[in-house]
Structure formats: structure tokens, C-alpha cells
Amino acid sequence: QRKAAIVAAHPDLFRAASVRRVEIDFRTQSLTDRLAGSGFTPREPTFVVWEGVSMYLSRAAVDGTLAALASVCGPGSVVAMDFWQQVGGVGGYSLRRAAERGMRLIGEPVTFPIAAVDVPELLGGHRFAVRDLADGGEMTVRYATDGRRCDPGMYVVAAELTSAA
């Protein structure tokens, strides 16, 4: 809903784009089927925002989603996503550790942390080439305001689909 509101608030940026919002439970539904039911046009260049999801899935579900995207998106498509590279935080108490415990209690445990150095291989296995990777420090430089800092355990990636299947 937040992403839909951003698109609606900036019609000048999205007027030429065909924006499709697709809700899915990655554990129980087929991405290919959900996309087909949304009016998605296969094998066209596509920009996919996949945020706040991968860390809660299994490695198999992440691989399955990337494979599905590689099979339905056209060359030049870009997936933008975030990852967690560490669980628990460093040293004693950390806000991350408390947040992860809270998420686990509500049934949303972090099940797929992956180090930033391992992401090119993960994505490359599905024909996505990393074009940009910004860790917490880089995100702080680029986006943080008013002295805020981005979490060092998180990072964002933009990766481009390099060729058709």
C-alpha cells in the first residue's frame, strides 16, 4: 500500500509506466500465476521492487522467486531488493537483536540472512547481474538525514537481468 501511495503521489514520474501491484504469499502461491492474473506482460523489460521479504523466506523460496522473475521478465529488467547480512547484532544488546526477537514472537523470524559478498553469486545463478549494492554505511551517506544512520546489517541491491532464457 505504501508503494502504491508513492506511485499515486508522483504521476509525473510514472505516467508512461504500466504499474502493477501484485500481492503474494511467497510460501504458498506461485509468482508466475499471480503475475499472469495481474495483467503482467511477460518478457518485457520490468522493474521489480521486492523489499522486506527475502529475509523471511527460505533459501529455496528466494531461489524460486528469482528463477520465476528470470523466466517471465525481459532482458534489461531490474530487481531492487533488500537483504539482511547478519542476525542478532554485534556484541551485547542491540536494537537489531530486540527487533529480531520481536519478529520471531509474532511469527516472522529472519530465516535467510546472506552476506553482501555472497549476493552476486546468488543473483548471478538466475542471470541477474548486480549493478548497485549499498550497505548500511553507503545508505547512510546517500539517504539518511538529521543525523540518522542506516542499519549496518542491512543492504539494498539493484540487479539487471542479463539475457533471455
Side-chain angles (χ1 to χ4, degrees):
Q1 292 173 342
R2 182 181 63 80
K3 292 174 206 154
I6 291 168
V7 171
H10 299 283
D12 54 317
L13 296 175
F14 296 98
R15 68 175 162 261
S18 174
V19 177
R20 300 280 189 245
R21 184 170 165 252
V22 180
E23 293 184 17
I24 183 172
D25 181 335
F26 289 95
R27 291 173 257 211
T28 62
Q29 297 176 306
S30 160
L31 178 58
T32 306
D33 291 347
R34 297 292 295 153
L35 288 173
S38 74
F40 176 78
T41 305
R43 290 172 242 334
E44 290 293 322
T46 305
F47 182 78
V48 177
V49 178
W50 192 29
E51 66 175 343
V53 178
S54 68
M55 63 282 302
Y56 302 111
L57 300 177
S58 66
R59 169 70 184 245
V62 171
D63 277 326
T65 300
L66 292 169
L69 290 173
S71 74
V72 299
C73 294
S77 294
V78 173
V79 62
M81 60 190 302
D82 57 347
F83 291 99
W84 283 19
Q85 63 184 353
Q86 65 190 46
V87 175
V90 181
Y93 174 80
S94 75
L95 182 57
R96 169 175 285 288
R97 185 171 306 244
E100 288 171 11
R101 285 182 180 153
M103 289 184 296
R104 193 175 321 115
L105 287 172
I106 63 168
E108 295 284 338
V110 174
T111 54
F112 183 65
I114 182 171
V117 298
D118 296 328
V119 166
E121 182 179 344
L122 169 71
L123 295 172
H126 300 286
R127 300 186 343 266
F128 284 96
V130 173
R131 299 295 185 227
D132 188 27
L133 189 151
D135 64 13
E138 180 61 27
M139 288 190 296
T140 295
V141 170
R142 290 184 193 179
Y143 310 116
T145 58
D146 299 325
R148 293 180 290 181
R149 297 179 42 85
C150 294
D151 189 319
M154 295 187 77
Y155 57 101
V156 294
V157 175
E160 181 178 346
L161 185 61
T162 57
S163 64

